[in-house]
Amino acid sequence: SSSSSSSSSSSFDVLFAYPSGLLPSLGLAAASRVSTFLMEVPADLETIPSRIIYRKGAFFEVRALEAYVAAEANMESGKIAPGVVGDAVNSGNAFNTVASYIFGGNETNEAISMTTPVLSDAGAADENQRKSMRFVMAPTRVQETSTKPLPKPTNERVKLVDVPQRMVAVERFSGVATPQAVRWATEQLVENLRAVSNAYVPADEAARAAVRDGDIDALERLGVIETAQYNPPSTPPFRRTNELWLDVIVASANQV
């Protein structure tokens, strides 16, 4: 089964770097590898049903995800401001936009239960590559859609998307999910995927080549990695649970 937790604001997360005063002698890598005993995921919120297929240590696994429905909004990269500040503003705007849907911003004014995690596109997308943020609809609410369809969003920026069953490689890390932390976790994800390339490879062909070559920049440009954040901003950084997700498939002989 997968980690699960609350996700009340990734917009806050991208504004602040990992506090330099926290575990100062250890640095980003060690701080991001805080014991899983310290990392929390609230147990009172629904999450995507899943099962672990393969696990290596405490931070890397291959997970099978059940199909789910998500409310999605674009971050509109480059429209507010460039660089890290622009990313933070765009991320915050997208969060508020998609959050408004579950808080009643829909045609029936229905309040929909919060779930975990909040998903967003990772990587160094440019102005022409639109990033998105997604809230997963509560599985128990989705089960009711045959008799009670999910209401349509009133904001045209919010879309309801059906995500089919899939298998993802997961890299778990703690702290604040800053661009630097996500970059570091991406490096760990690639290293772990290369170690299991005889069994699992990225589903995307270009991503497969980037992982095989250890080309982090190319992988980021593809925009195929998702950041999953499980905790509200009130959670101390060393107790936060974040993950990177990359779609994978079982390796065949000609892909190894």
Side-chain angles (χ1 to χ4, degrees):
S1 57
S2 69
S3 300
S4 65
S5 155
S6 163
S7 53
S8 137
S9 179
S10 84
S11 56
F12 180 97
D13 288 355
V14 295
L15 286 170
F16 299 94
Y18 204 102
S20 58
L22 183 66
L23 306 177
S25 63
L26 299 180
L28 175 62
S32 296
R33 286 308 197 221
V34 169
S35 167
T36 53
F37 176 75
L38 296 177
M39 294 162 67
E40 353 180 278
V41 286
D44 57 343
L45 298 179
E46 289 190 69
T47 190
I48 304 167
S50 65
R51 62 187 175 88
I52 297 171
I53 298 173
Y54 170 85
R55 173 176 281 165
K56 177 187 175 185
F59 303 101
F60 176 78
E61 65 190 37
V62 175
R63 186 182 301 163
L65 300 177
E66 294 297 322
Y68 60 93
V69 179
E72 177 181 273
N74 287 324
M75 293 188 197
E76 300 188 329
S77 298
K79 289 194 174 183
I80 305 297
V84 173
V85 172
D87 284 348
V89 173
N90 293 327
S91 177
N93 286 343
F95 181 92
N96 292 334
T97 298
V98 74
S100 69
Y101 171 75
I102 69 170
F103 295 142
N106 53 67
E107 63 181 4
T108 62
N109 300 316
E110 179 185 350
I112 301 171
S113 298
M114 194 76 173
T115 63
T116 60
V118 168
L119 300 168
S120 57
D121 296 329
D126 59 28
E127 294 93 11
N128 299 315
Q129 186 175 349
R130 298 170 76 93
K131 292 185 179 182
S132 296
M133 181 169 289
R134 290 166 292 282
F135 280 22
V136 177
M137 298 296 95
T140 53
R141 176 60 181 85
V142 173
Q143 289 170 7
E144 302 172 355
T145 54
S146 59
T147 56
K148 185 183 178 184
L150 285 166
K152 293 180 180 179
T154 53
N155 188 325
E156 63 181 11
R157 285 185 58 201
V158 180
K159 309 295 182 187
L160 293 179
V161 295
D162 292 301
V163 183
Q165 289 181 325
R166 57 184 176 139
M167 186 163 57
V168 293
V170 177
E171 187 71 31
R172 188 176 295 114
F173 62 105
S174 187
V176 178
T178 61
Q180 296 90 340
V182 169
R183 169 79 181 200
W184 178 84
T186 301
E187 293 171 354
Q188 308 310 305
L189 176 64
V190 167
E191 180 180 322
N192 282 315
L193 270 174
R194 294 179 75 183
V196 298
S197 61
N198 63 324
Y200 305 102
V201 295
D204 180 85
E205 188 173 350
R208 202 176 305 149
V211 168
R212 183 178 61 245
D213 298 339
D215 192 339
I216 307 300
D217 292 334
L219 188 60
E220 287 187 330
R221 286 193 297 270
L222 291 171
V224 293
I225 296 178
E226 290 177 281
T227 303
Q229 297 185 73
Y230 288 90
N231 306 94
S234 58
T235 307
F238 62 90
R239 298 193 71 91
R240 297 188 191 190
T241 297
N242 313 300
E243 294 174 340
L244 296 187
W245 293 359
L246 174 61
D247 285 14
V248 294
I249 56 176
V250 175
S252 60
N254 62 344
Q255 294 169 337
V256 177

